[in-house]
Amino acid sequence: MAAIPTQRESEPRARGVRGRATLPGSPHAPGSARALVQAALAEASDVSARLADDALAVVSELVTNAVVHAGTDVEVDWRLEEDGAFVVEVHDRHPSRAPRDPLGGEAAYDTPEYGRGLRLVTTLAESWGVTYRTGAKTVWARLPPGGVEDPYAPAPDAALAVAEDLAPQPHRSVGDRDWLGRGALSFLAEASDLLAGQLDENLVTALTGQLIVPRLADWCAVWLEDEATVRGGADAGPDRVWHASENRIEELRCALEKEPPCPPDGMRSGPEPYPWPGHALGSRGADGTALAYRLIAGGRPLGTLVIGRCGLARFPDEVTGLVEDLGRRVALAIGAARQYARQATISAVLQRGLLPGAVAEIPGLSSALVYEPCDKGGPSGDFYDLFPAGDGRWCFAVGDVQGKGPEAAVVIGLARPWLRLLAREGYRVADVLDRLNQLLLDDATEAADAAARALVAAGGRPVLPGDGPQTRFLSLLYGELTPYDGGVRCTLASAGHPLPLVLGPDGTVRTAAGPQTLLGVVEDETYTSETLDLRPGDSLLCVTDGVTERRSGSRQFDDADGLALALSGCAGLTAELIAERIRRLVDDFGDGPLEDDLALLVLQAE
């Protein structure tokens, strides 16, 4: 391609297969784009398998290029034109950085920062180019009908020579030559999908070795680094080592520990020459070449990848460029995995802080609790508590915040300590709900006012209804327990929460409270409470809507009083057995995993 055109000159009529998607600038974007285009092309019966494969490879490459070098949201447009050609356009919001022409003749081991991924696009596309607009850039490609017949036809001898170098030992075959041709073109796309789906950096490095050895190198190693410093200091050994021959791995590891890579200053990804560890590779590995690639994502060094090939004076340019682009994808995957790990750690800390470390033991009452968040990686919207309030009183709460994640954590972080404080100050059940309701409304109003002031101070657009944090809704079942000779007096109230049920020793089930408004909805709402006595053998069941709204097709668990019916079959069981039986019935009711957080509390008078 002699020059990069600035715009498309014509657009023939579409054949009906077209689509558009906006994707976040994350490592998952290439895989999502491939899946969307694959589904669209599957609907067109006249699209050849070769064109479909080429289209998926080009789409993945262009989206990856945008994610790596722009880092903004990415918009993807695709269509089949009247003559059967496939056109894809990828838009990002970073107009100042253009992809480098991959045929510009860079010297070996001096691949530009923009990478060589567009070599694949140049090979497969009939034409491609870049369009600049104010604040945006579009890279487009047009693939001919039927796809490219032979991507490496202009230089078959060179391709075969590289195929011999890259073929796994001792299985050089026609299949490997096929891989170098069309298969190598989709290698990066497939590797992107594979790596983007991993959320553990150790698994990312393990997959890296499997992708490289023995196809691209006889051995490779990965050194991982912390966010700021190299792990273990200057003498740190590699985190993972691979060799085509497993009995050489330990010797190679020992040799590499003595020669940790010394990355150059700056953020250059490489490749850089690396000392050949011939003494660790036996007589057949006495000579060879090794290269080190810096793994960089988001402007931060995350580690170093070293590859080695026996019997070569230098790696072919095709391999160095391919590994460099693979290294960028590895770095993106490691960065994403670390970000996920950080978020999971924060979520776990939040979750531990939002729930009580233990539930209180109450004289004359046994209790059992089941708590199962549906999202193991983030704060749940459900919470519970059972605590002493002084003066021979104990209080309990089962709540459910609208939403999940950090927003839910904020509401729980307000509600649970305030419940304890108000109860210990002697406020009764209805008064506690009145004050908690006002607290939620006041806090949401203050947050919205602060957001509005920030918009005005920044000179932004006028504040519209719905801007800023929204009112925080909380459904809550809250009660107070006072043991006495012959039973336990229970005063409770339900604010927008599934109503509590009382199971008698004879199997009868009755509702223990009436419905009232959610907390955080109505200003100056006045709540009321109800009182009942739990006699020996009576059991009080409190649940969140993860129990009552568990789905099986169009049915819910509590349809036709399903929860009361399930509880009636628990007569004579202990609190622990009742809780376990309800949990199991709820779990068995649906075919899949829980779709909502689940919490249930059983209190049984002894």
Side-chain angles (χ1 to χ4, degrees):
M1 186 180 64
I4 299 178
T6 57
Q7 62 181 4
R8 298 294 314 281
E9 295 180 355
S10 64
E11 292 189 2
R13 289 184 297 131
R15 296 165 43 132
V17 176
R18 60 172 56 237
R20 170 178 294 180
T22 300
L23 305 171
S26 74
H28 301 285
S32 299
R34 281 169 56 85
L36 291 169
V37 173
Q38 185 175 37
L41 294 180
E43 298 178 0
S45 58
D46 55 344
V47 175
S48 69
R50 175 167 291 174
L51 177 58
D53 289 343
D54 291 353
L56 295 181
V58 169
V59 167
S60 185
E61 193 56 50
L62 292 183
V63 173
T64 298
N65 183 78
V67 169
V68 172
H69 302 307
T72 67
D73 287 351
V74 177
E75 185 176 290
V76 186
D77 288 277
W78 65 89
R79 65 182 179 274
L80 276 178
E81 298 193 332
E82 185 178 19
D83 61 355
F86 176 82
V87 177
V88 59
E89 299 176 352
V90 177
H91 318 272
D92 63 58
R93 302 296 176 184
H94 199 316
S96 63
R97 300 189 66 176
R100 187 71 60 85
D101 185 344
L103 300 181
E106 294 88 358
Y109 306 163
D110 191 26
T111 310
E113 176 63 23
Y114 302 100
R116 300 195 184 208
L118 288 173
R119 182 187 300 275
L120 181 150
V121 178
T122 304
T123 303
L124 293 179
E126 179 180 78
S127 58
W128 71 275
V130 182
T131 300
Y132 293 96
R133 299 181 181 87
T134 302
K137 178 178 90 272
T138 298
V139 183
W140 60 266
R142 185 179 193 273
L143 279 63
V148 176
E149 187 67 25
D150 186 355
Y152 279 99
D157 293 337
L160 292 177
V162 175
E164 286 295 310
D165 288 333
L166 298 182
Q169 300 286 347
H171 304 294
R172 294 190 175 97
S173 65
V174 174
D176 292 309
R177 297 178 184 180
D178 292 340
W179 180 88
L180 183 70
R182 182 167 299 276
L185 294 177
S186 62
F187 173 74
L188 288 175
E190 299 292 347
S192 295
D193 287 349
L194 181 64
L195 294 170
Q198 312 308 323
L199 298 176
D200 184 293
E201 65 176 290
N202 292 319
L203 183 55
V204 171
T205 58
L207 291 172
T208 301
Q210 294 176 13
L211 288 167
I212 291 176
V213 177
R215 179 70 69 181
L216 300 175
D218 289 325
W219 60 268
C220 73
V222 174
W223 281 258
L224 292 176
E225 300 175 18
D226 290 328
E227 295 298 325
T229 59
V230 177
R231 293 178 178 173
D235 296 328
D239 290 82
R240 298 296 296 265
V241 177
W242 297 264
H243 194 288
S245 175
E246 291 187 6
N247 59 11
R248 291 288 180 187
I249 291 178
E250 288 307 315
E251 293 180 67
L252 179 59
R253 180 188 298 276
C254 292
L256 296 178
E257 287 177 350
K258 300 174 183 178
E259 292 282 353
C262 299
D265 295 334
M267 289 289 119
R268 189 175 183 278
S269 59
E272 298 289 337
Y274 180 84
W276 181 251
H279 60 281
L281 302 176
S283 58
R284 298 182 62 180
D287 297 316
T289 187
L291 297 174
Y293 295 82
R294 197 84 160 124
L295 301 177
I296 299 171
R300 295 182 177 181
L302 304 179
T304 301
L305 167 68
V306 174
I307 63 171
R309 190 64 144 171
C310 299
L312 290 182
R314 55 171 293 186
F315 273 99
D317 291 350
E318 291 81 359
V319 177
T320 61
L322 188 62
V323 174
E324 183 170 6
D325 267 334
L326 176 63
R328 290 193 179 93
R329 287 152 176 79
V330 171
L332 274 175
I334 291 174
R338 289 186 176 180
Q339 179 66 21
Y340 175 82
R342 284 192 293 268
Q343 293 174 345
T345 299
I346 293 171
S347 295
V349 171
L350 278 175
Q351 191 69 67
R352 286 196 298 269
L354 296 175
L355 298 175
V359 294
E361 294 185 7
I362 304 173
L365 196 73
S366 61
S367 63
L369 175 75
V370 173
Y371 175 73
E372 294 185 0
C374 66
D375 181 3
K376 307 301 182 184
S380 165
D382 289 5
F383 73 98
Y384 60 88
D385 207 352
L386 181 59
F387 58 93
D391 300 326
R393 299 176 299 120
W394 282 261
C395 293
F396 67 92
V398 177
D400 186 0
V401 179
Q402 183 186 50
K404 294 180 175 62
E407 294 81 4
V410 169
V411 179
I412 297 173
L414 284 169
R416 196 170 71 86
W418 271 102
L419 283 174
R420 289 193 169 208
L421 177 63
L422 292 170
R424 287 167 178 166
E425 287 293 318
Y427 288 95
R428 297 304 176 181
V429 170
D431 295 329
V432 169
L433 294 190
D434 288 345
R435 284 158 175 76
L436 185 57
N437 178 60
Q438 195 60 47
L439 173 71
L440 292 174
L441 287 166
D442 291 347
D443 183 77
T445 300
E446 290 175 5
D449 289 344
R453 288 194 298 270
L455 280 173
V456 173
R461 60 173 173 76
V463 180
L464 302 175
D467 281 342
Q470 302 299 299
T471 302
R472 292 156 174 178
F473 300 153
L474 168 65
S475 77
L476 180 68
L477 177 63
Y478 174 70
E480 179 182 291
L481 302 165
T482 306
Y484 65 91
D485 290 339
V488 177
R489 181 149 297 151
C490 177
T491 302
L492 74 171
S494 176
H497 202 80
L499 299 180
L501 300 176
V502 176
L503 169 67
D506 59 354
T508 58
V509 176
R510 69 183 189 277
T511 302
Q516 298 183 77
T517 307
L518 281 166
L519 297 174
V521 177
V522 179
E523 186 86 20
D524 296 327
E525 177 75 359
T526 299
Y527 290 89
T528 61
S529 62
E530 301 179 37
T531 300
L532 68 147
D533 288 334
L534 297 176
R535 304 293 183 181
D538 286 343
S539 301
L540 178 69
L541 173 65
C542 312
V543 303
T544 60
D545 60 10
V547 173
T548 56
E549 297 179 5
R550 169 71 159 156
R551 302 194 69 88
S552 177
S554 61
R555 298 184 300 121
Q556 294 186 346
F557 184 77
D558 198 33
D559 286 349
D561 295 325
L563 180 59
L565 182 62
L567 182 60
S568 67
C570 298
L573 299 181
T574 64
E576 292 81 2
L577 292 177
I578 292 173
E580 175 57 28
R581 181 166 183 175
I582 298 298
R583 184 208 64 78
R584 180 168 48 82
L585 290 173
V586 171
D587 187 63
D588 292 344
F589 184 77
D591 295 330
L594 293 176
E595 298 177 351
D596 195 4
D597 305 318
L598 178 152
L600 65 89
L601 174 67
V602 179
L603 302 171
Q604 187 176 78
E606 297 176 337

